[in-house]
Amino acid sequence: MTRRPILAANWKMHKRRAEAESFARDLVKRLGSDSATSLRSQDVEVVIAPPFPWLGAVSAQLAGSAIGCAAQNVHPEPQGAFTGEVSPAMLVDAGCRYAIVGHSERRALFGETDAFIARKVAALQRADLTPILCVGETLSEREAGQTEAVLARQLEGSLAELDVSQAARLVLAYEPVWAIGTGRTATPEIAQQAHAFLRERLTARLGSVAGAIRIQYGGSVKPDNVSVLMAEPDIDGALVGGASLEAASFATIVRYQEKPK
Ligand code: PGA
């Protein structure tokens, strides 16, 4: 089954408003003035995840292009007394089409559990937003030989409330925690092994639709390592942090197919 590659920029807590807007303008220009056509001809999907306050401003800059806007988080409830939180419908109003959920920083620094993440996945589906669900093991878990157990537990837990009829639209991101922001990328072999394992689990849970689900790799993806990673059969995209902060660098990553493998 062919899966359309999806490359996403996760800015985390970076960029003031003017920087966010000029990045978006610059990226649209770099990916072709008619970026819808240009991206389609490369057949990749491109997404930027700015901080919450800039979602509207960035979406406005991306209007008319094929580049999508993602939130970095969401709250599962539609509304209510949840100070500081943002609902799926609010993301839709801000021009978002995707939201990242379960990022390891949210799990580790903000105590998010698989059960809470599962509610977010379902809430995004109900709002017609595409969830980008992150899973990944820490270095000590890998060294203890627990990688597959951790991935299986996170996957199962985070998909506990999945609307199976919309499963094909789900995007998964394998992000080994030891590779995030460390410059220590997983080798293509290590990443492929984890991706193949995740796809196997998805197949066990969902059947043949698992073949349509894109699995991104994340963790120190750079312009010079993206093509070897993307050459692996179960790596269908990248979730890029540090190397997504400059438009030139992220545009090079998006155009990985133009580089010799
Ligand atoms: P990195 O971050 O590319 O800076 O390693 C990836 C991520 O956390 O999504």
Side-chain angles (χ1 to χ4, degrees):
M1 186 174 297
T2 52
R3 293 177 291 268
R4 189 168 185 236
I6 176 165
L7 292 304
N10 175 13
W11 288 353
K12 310 188 179 182
M13 198 171 73
H14 291 285
K15 292 193 189 295
R16 301 285 298 270
R17 181 190 180 114
E19 296 166 321
E21 287 177 326
S22 87
F23 178 109
R25 264 195 306 275
D26 191 3
L27 188 68
V28 169
K29 220 178 292 160
R30 283 175 190 275
L31 296 182
S33 48
D34 180 4
S35 80
T37 317
S38 170
L39 285 182
R40 225 177 289 122
S41 67
Q42 284 210 60
D43 212 21
V44 295
E45 199 166 316
V46 181
V47 180
I48 307 177
F52 278 137
W54 316 144
L55 289 174
V58 167
S59 295
Q61 296 296 335
L62 298 177
S65 84
I67 304 167
C69 196
Q72 298 174 17
N73 188 22
V74 68
H75 192 276
E77 290 299 323
Q79 61 193 31
F82 302 102
T83 301
E85 295 295 323
V86 176
S87 76
M90 291 172 189
L91 297 183
V92 171
D93 288 347
C96 278
R97 303 208 302 264
Y98 310 77
I100 298 170
V101 289
H103 190 280
S104 61
E105 286 150 19
R106 303 250 17 125
R107 292 173 187 266
L109 305 173
F110 302 97
E112 291 197 10
T113 61
D114 288 324
F116 189 44
I117 295 161
R119 290 173 55 206
K120 298 182 185 213
V121 170
L124 289 171
Q125 290 186 304
R126 283 194 295 276
D128 205 24
L129 288 161
T130 298
I132 300 177
L133 168 65
C134 305
V135 295
E137 81 288 358
T138 62
L139 185 59
S140 59
E141 288 164 341
R142 173 162 285 271
E143 286 174 348
Q146 293 168 351
T147 299
E148 295 197 342
V150 169
L151 294 181
R153 188 184 67 226
Q154 290 180 346
L155 192 68
E156 205 168 302
S158 306
L159 295 182
E161 298 186 35
L162 184 77
D163 173 357
V164 173
S165 71
Q166 285 192 59
R169 215 175 130 184
L170 176 77
V171 176
L172 201 62
Y174 169 61
E175 297 209 307
V177 178
W178 46 271
I180 295 178
T182 58
R184 188 177 162 193
T185 323
T187 62
E189 295 72 28
I190 288 179
Q192 166 58 26
Q193 209 173 19
H195 283 230
F197 174 75
L198 289 168
R199 193 160 329 268
E200 209 178 278
R201 300 298 299 204
L202 286 170
T203 306
R205 163 87 203 272
L206 302 165
S208 62
V209 75
I213 296 177
R214 275 108 31 108
I215 310 179
Q216 298 177 309
Y217 167 78
S220 300
V221 173
K222 306 272 183 267
D224 62 3
N225 61 24
V226 61
S227 6
V228 286
L229 289 159
M230 291 299 294
E232 296 294 332
D234 287 291
I235 301 184
D236 311 312
L239 183 54
V240 189
S244 78
L245 291 172
E246 297 292 333
S249 155
F250 185 58
T252 310
I253 289 173
V254 167
R255 301 199 129 120
Y256 71 93
Q257 294 175 67
E258 292 171 14
K259 295 183 80 184
K261 287 204 169 141

